[in-house]
């Protein structure tokens, strides 16, 4: 029994090798040397299989031979399926190539049709355009018919003239009136005025600048203003400093604030003389300056005497400030969104409203006595 079982196991191995060889014969690629060697041993393996099957007897041989033939037929059917699939793929590719050919033929037909239409248009143009008369030396006029290339060029010119509007139509479509001509005249006058000597553009173009660094603050600078040769600055170090641009030195340093200085303002000579008559205890010929801070205060400084003239408590941290000259009003904005109006003469609050969530910038119009607040 042991020898018979060994024979069966050996037969199974032989059949397995034969199946592998059948698969290798159906693959769509180049076989390796090792695979070619296996395929070459197919006949030897098949003869060995027949010998082993004959050793087991006629009945078993027929049965096993039948099973082997069944396996072989299955391989053949698989090969047939592959051939059918390949034929379907070839059919599909053939259909695609035919579609491409049809598209090319249609394109050529369209191009031919367009070319014929162009030729007809050129011929009609030749009929409508009169022949040009060229003058010769003997006085006789020779009629010359334009060539097709010349006719095509003239046709394109006519089309462009029809499609592009005239200058009058363009001006009417853009804006009523003579907008284009006015714009052209304005641009010419602007360029001429900018090129004139003494104009602001020519002055800035030919100006020479020098840079000087003023050092004195111990922290970030948050506000700057200048008037004439005087510069005022305020920073996070709570200091207000006055600088002289002529000698490039620090002139004064005011230390009255206890919080970050957020805004500074120099008042001109006209406002200084006006305030001398209305503000008590103000020295004569005093140059005035304003500063605001997050310490909830607005202060009025006399630069000439290096003293603080007035301090107004705002009850809210001031983030920005503006000044109305001629009336002596200070407008301030706070981090809480409050906008307030102060009288510089008395130091009293004239108006207060909650306008925004937070006020960051104030711009004052001197001519119209109004403020823009953001």
């Amino acid at each position: 029994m042991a020898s018979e079982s060994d024979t069966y196991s050996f037969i199974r191995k032989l059949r397995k090798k034969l199946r592998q060889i059948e698969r290798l014969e159906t693959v769509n690629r180049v076989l390796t040397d090792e695979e070619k060697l296996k395929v070459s041993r197919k006949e030897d393996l098949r003869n060995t299989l027949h010998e082993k099957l004959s050793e087991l007897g006629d009945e078993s041989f027929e049965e096993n031979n039948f099973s082997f033939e069944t396996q072989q037929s299955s391989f053949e059917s698989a090969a047939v399926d592959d051939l059918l699939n390949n034929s379907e793929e070839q059919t599909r590719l053939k259909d695609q190539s035919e579609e491409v050919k049809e598209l090319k033929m249609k394109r050529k037909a369209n191009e031919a049709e367009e070319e014929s239409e162009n030729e007809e248009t050129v011929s009609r143009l030749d009929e409508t355009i009169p022949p040009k008369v060229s003058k010769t030396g003997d006085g006789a006029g020779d009629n010359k018919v334009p060539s097709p290339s010349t006719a095509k060029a003239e046709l394109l010119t006519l089309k462009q003239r029809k499609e592009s509007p005239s200058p009058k139509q363009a001006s009417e479509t853009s804006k009523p009136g003579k907008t284009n001509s006015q714009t052209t005249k304005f641009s010419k006058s602007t360029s001429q005025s900018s090129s004139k000597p003494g104009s602001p553009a020519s002055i800035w173009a030919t100006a020479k600048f020098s840079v000087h660094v003023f050092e004195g603050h111990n922290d970030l600078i948050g506000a700057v203003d200048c008037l004439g040769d005087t510069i005022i600055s305020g920073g996070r170090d709570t200091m207000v400093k006055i600088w002289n641009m002529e000698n490039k030195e620090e002139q004064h340093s005011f230390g009255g604030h206890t919080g970050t200085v957020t805004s500074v303002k120099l008042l001109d000579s006209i406002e200084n003389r006006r305030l001398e008559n209305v503000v008590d205890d103000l020295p004569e010929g005093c140059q005035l300056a304003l500063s605001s801070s997050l310490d909830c205060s607005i202060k009025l400084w006399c630069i000439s005497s290096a003293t603080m003239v007035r301090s107004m408590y705002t009850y809210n941290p001031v983030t920005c400030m503006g000044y109305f000259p001629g009336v002596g009003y200070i407008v301030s904005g706070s981090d809480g969104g409050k906008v307030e109006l102060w009288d510089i003469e008395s130091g009293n609050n004239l108006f207060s409203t909650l306008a925004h969530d937070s006020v960051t910038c104030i711009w004052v119009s001197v001519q119209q006595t109004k403020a823009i607040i953001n």
Side-chain angles (χ1 to χ4, degrees):
M1 293 293 294
S3 61
E4 188 176 353
S5 62
D6 293 338
T7 304
Y8 275 120
S9 63
F10 185 69
I11 289 171
R12 282 195 297 271
K13 290 179 181 179
L14 289 174
R15 286 174 173 171
K16 184 177 180 181
K17 289 182 179 180
L18 287 170
R19 286 196 298 270
Q20 292 176 355
I21 291 170
E22 293 288 345
R23 292 193 187 97
L24 289 174
E25 289 177 345
T26 57
V27 295
N28 295 323
R29 61 178 176 82
V30 180
L31 300 179
T32 62
D33 295 337
E34 185 179 357
E35 291 172 344
K36 289 178 181 179
L37 181 61
K38 288 181 180 180
V39 173
S40 64
R41 295 173 56 191
K42 177 181 178 181
E43 292 299 328
D44 296 336
L45 292 174
R46 184 171 290 178
N47 294 331
T48 306
L49 177 62
H50 288 172
E51 291 175 0
K52 291 296 181 182
L53 289 172
S54 62
E55 290 178 1
L56 295 176
D58 295 336
E59 185 178 354
S60 59
F61 173 77
E62 291 176 358
E63 181 182 355
N64 293 321
N65 193 22
F66 176 77
S67 63
F68 177 75
E69 290 176 354
T70 305
Q71 292 174 358
Q72 188 173 3
S73 64
S74 65
F75 286 128
E76 292 176 354
S77 63
V80 171
D81 292 339
D82 292 337
L83 290 173
L84 290 174
N85 292 331
N86 291 332
S87 62
E88 290 178 358
E89 182 69 18
Q90 291 176 359
T91 305
R92 187 176 63 82
L93 293 174
K94 186 177 180 181
D95 294 339
Q96 289 182 354
S97 63
E98 290 179 355
E99 290 179 359
V100 172
K101 288 180 180 178
E102 289 180 359
L103 290 174
K104 288 182 178 179
M105 291 176 65
K106 287 181 180 179
R107 187 178 298 173
K108 288 181 179 179
N110 292 332
E111 291 176 356
E113 187 177 353
E114 290 178 359
E115 189 174 355
S116 63
E117 288 179 358
N118 292 333
E119 290 177 356
E120 291 177 1
T121 306
V122 171
S123 62
R124 287 198 300 269
L125 183 64
D126 292 339
E127 295 175 358
T128 54
I129 296 176
K132 294 182 179 180
V133 178
S134 62
K135 295 181 179 180
T136 57
D138 56 357
D142 297 331
N143 295 336
K144 291 187 178 180
V145 180
S147 62
S149 60
T150 308
K152 286 183 180 179
E154 292 179 355
L155 176 62
L156 291 173
T157 305
L158 290 174
K159 286 183 178 180
Q160 290 175 356
R161 287 177 181 177
K162 289 180 180 180
E163 291 175 358
S164 60
S166 63
K168 185 177 181 181
Q169 292 175 348
S171 61
E172 289 176 356
T173 53
S174 59
K175 278 187 179 180
K178 300 180 181 179
T179 308
N180 289 347
S181 59
Q182 289 177 358
T183 305
T184 307
K185 290 179 182 178
F186 176 75
S187 61
K188 288 182 179 179
S189 62
T190 305
S191 61
Q192 290 174 359
S193 63
S194 62
S195 60
K196 288 181 180 178
S199 63
S202 62
I203 292 173
W204 279 95
T206 57
K208 295 182 179 180
F209 298 92
S210 61
V211 179
H212 182 78
V213 179
F214 294 93
E215 296 182 356
H217 284 282
N218 297 324
D219 209 332
L220 296 176
I221 298 173
V224 176
D225 191 23
C226 64
L227 184 64
D229 292 335
T230 304
I231 300 175
I232 182 172
S233 62
R236 205 161 64 179
D237 58 357
T238 72
M239 302 299 294
V240 176
K241 292 183 179 290
I242 309 297
W243 312 85
N244 191 299
M245 283 193 288
E246 188 175 356
N247 55 23
K248 298 179 176 58
E249 293 180 355
E250 180 182 325
Q251 186 175 350
H252 298 290
S253 182
F254 301 130
H257 287 289
T258 58
T260 301
V261 179
T262 56
S263 184
V264 290
K265 177 68 177 175
L266 287 170
L267 305 186
D268 58 19
S269 57
I270 298 174
E271 191 65 13
N272 291 331
R273 287 194 298 269
R274 191 188 73 81
L275 292 176
E276 284 180 8
N277 301 323
V278 294
V279 178
D280 297 335
D281 302 330
L282 191 65
E284 187 177 354
C286 185
Q287 185 179 2
L288 298 173
L290 286 167
S291 65
S292 64
S293 172
L294 295 179
D295 61 359
C296 305
S297 69
I298 298 173
K299 297 184 185 295
L300 178 66
W301 307 90
C302 178
I303 298 176
S304 305
S305 61
T307 57
M308 183 178 65
V309 178
R310 180 157 296 165
S311 179
M312 291 163 279
Y313 190 73
T314 61
Y315 298 94
N316 293 287
V318 182
T319 54
C320 50
M321 176 189 65
Y323 182 71
F324 289 100
V327 292
Y329 292 159
I330 302 169
V331 58
S332 66
S334 68
D335 190 28
K338 234 178 194 182
V339 177
E340 296 180 292
L341 195 65
W342 307 85
D343 185 7
I344 196 172
E345 299 176 10
S346 61
N348 296 329
N349 182 279
L350 303 177
F351 176 78
S352 179
T353 181
L354 187 63
H356 300 279
D357 294 334
S358 178
V359 182
T360 57
C361 181
I362 293 177
W363 179 81
V364 173
S365 175
V366 179
Q367 288 80 7
Q368 298 180 2
T369 317
K370 66 179 181 179
I372 297 175
I373 302 166
N374 293 327

